[in-house]
Amino acid sequence: MRWKGRRVSSNVEDRRGGAGAKVGGISIVGLIVAFVGWKFLGLDPQQTYQTTKQVTSGMSGAAETRGLDNPTPEQQEAMEFVGTVLADTEDTWSQVFQSQLNQPYTAPTLVLFSGVVDSGCGTAQSAMGPFYCPADQKVYIDTAFFKDMRTQMGITGEQNSTELSRHDQAGDFAQAYVVAHEVGHHIQTLLGISSQVQQARQQASEVQGNQLSVRQELQADCLAGVWAYHNHERTQFLEQGDVQEAMDAAHKIGDDYLQKKAQGRVVPDSFTHGTSAQRVQWFNTGLKSGQMADCDTFNRPI
């Protein structure tokens, strides 16, 4: 993926200066198991937020005091990479909103953090993975998650370096897909989709609520594909193998794949993000057409 030399977004908050690689004595590597449980096994995120808030109530102040005073070259590159991808979403979605919706696009802020962070949705840990908070319209990412993608979750192919952010190697577009997916949730907030889903879930059963969540997540996957289509038209940023990386990422964060890996069995009624096949299908739908209208997962078979 070609990303160096382009604009870096100014809508990035660096809060990595407080917390280190551990939260409450639990390593990032250990937290990946909890992340799978929250993100993909159907646990209620609001309950997770409240539980985390109780556990970390005395820690959050230190976790987000400032950015890194002396970032390593790898940490600096991680920030530049995420900032460049965010800038690409800003420039691309501004054009797409104007051409397809005839309305302006309001960009989110992206927050980089280490370990623990306070958001408008509550206090969160790295274990939750990257997430979008509609209450403050911010995307939250602990860049250590990208390393977990490579080493713990096996998202990409062979890696010859243990450095956190060697984005000139394989895996960079898979990481950009993660950012684009969270920005997709921001677009759902701008269009009023997120609030409609939240209201519908309050009146639905747990299984029905999970099904609504699946459709919402698949739509964000599709919107990530729409972004990739138009961003490539703008910048020619995709290289050979990049699309396969994103497909591999989408496959390996499917509910069925992760449940089978974590517990040896699949529980479809607990799906909250969609199967591997569905996630690949909807990302590919947006990537092939570039049309937001094709991402209507709520009124089409998924």
Side-chain angles (χ1 to χ4, degrees):
M1 171 180 154
R2 303 181 184 92
W3 64 273
K4 293 185 177 181
R6 292 203 299 281
R7 182 177 73 86
V8 177
S9 175
S10 60
N11 291 319
V12 178
E13 294 180 18
D14 190 356
R15 302 186 192 174
R16 295 178 295 174
K22 293 189 177 183
V23 181
I26 303 175
S27 69
I28 293 294
V29 172
L31 286 174
I32 198 68
V33 177
F35 157 68
V36 170
W38 173 80
K39 192 84 171 175
F40 301 107
L41 302 186
L43 300 182
D44 187 338
Q46 293 301 324
Q47 292 180 3
T48 306
Y49 277 130
Q50 292 306 316
T51 301
T52 306
K53 190 170 185 178
Q54 294 173 8
V55 172
T56 62
S57 59
M59 303 167 56
S60 60
E64 47 184 336
T65 54
R66 63 186 184 278
L68 297 171
D69 290 332
N70 297 296
T72 66
E74 292 76 29
Q75 290 169 331
Q76 183 62 34
E77 188 182 50
M79 184 172 183
E80 292 174 359
F81 173 79
V82 171
T84 300
V85 173
L86 185 65
D88 280 349
T89 67
E90 294 166 352
D91 295 340
T92 297
W93 282 117
S94 292
Q95 293 180 3
V96 173
F97 262 51
Q98 190 60 47
S99 63
Q100 297 189 18
L101 302 178
N102 194 29
Q103 66 183 67
Y105 172 70
T106 303
T109 297
L110 190 148
V111 178
L112 295 177
F113 72 97
S114 297
V116 179
V117 68
D118 276 341
S119 76
C121 297
T123 303
Q125 291 185 352
S126 298
M128 294 179 178
F131 68 95
Y132 172 75
C133 175
D136 57 19
Q137 297 193 10
K138 293 182 179 181
V139 173
Y140 292 83
I141 294 178
D142 185 333
T143 50
F145 174 76
F146 293 147
K147 184 176 181 179
D148 290 333
M149 285 179 66
R150 296 170 184 257
T151 61
Q152 295 299 307
M153 301 177 71
I155 292 298
T156 59
E158 294 183 1
Q159 300 299 321
N160 297 319
S161 172
T162 58
E163 294 177 4
L164 171 62
S165 55
R166 289 290 299 276
H167 294 292
D168 54 334
Q169 296 185 14
D172 47 8
F173 185 56
Q175 296 166 20
Y177 155 72
V178 170
V179 176
H181 173 91
E182 299 306 332
V183 172
H185 286 311
H186 175 66
I187 291 170
Q188 291 172 323
T189 296
L190 295 179
L191 299 180
I193 296 170
S194 297
S195 60
Q196 292 176 20
V197 171
Q198 181 62 25
Q199 291 174 7
R201 290 189 67 184
Q202 291 175 352
Q203 302 172 5
S205 67
E206 181 178 354
V207 172
Q208 291 170 333
N210 287 343
Q211 291 171 347
L212 287 169
S213 177
V214 167
R215 291 180 181 272
Q216 187 175 10
E217 294 295 334
L218 293 178
Q219 185 176 63
D221 284 332
C222 184
L223 292 171
V226 171
W227 164 76
Y229 173 95
H230 290 283
N231 199 57
H232 186 63
E233 280 198 333
R234 277 193 330 109
T235 68
Q236 297 296 302
F237 78 123
L238 293 176
E239 298 178 292
Q240 184 176 3
D242 283 344
V243 172
Q244 185 56 46
E245 285 178 8
M247 295 294 185
D248 186 51
H251 173 78
K252 290 182 178 176
I253 55 176
D255 285 324
D256 54 341
Y257 182 95
L258 285 170
Q259 286 189 358
K260 187 76 176 291
K261 187 174 181 179
Q263 61 192 28
R265 61 190 180 91
V266 174
V267 184
D269 284 347
S270 70
F271 289 176
T272 57
H273 285 63
T275 66
S276 294
Q278 288 172 325
R279 301 203 71 169
V280 169
Q281 171 196 336
W282 283 100
F283 174 78
N284 204 32
T285 295
L287 181 64
K288 286 185 174 180
S289 76
Q291 296 297 312
M292 296 179 70
D294 290 341
C295 296
D296 187 2
T297 56
F298 293 94
N299 293 299
R300 296 186 181 183
I302 58 173

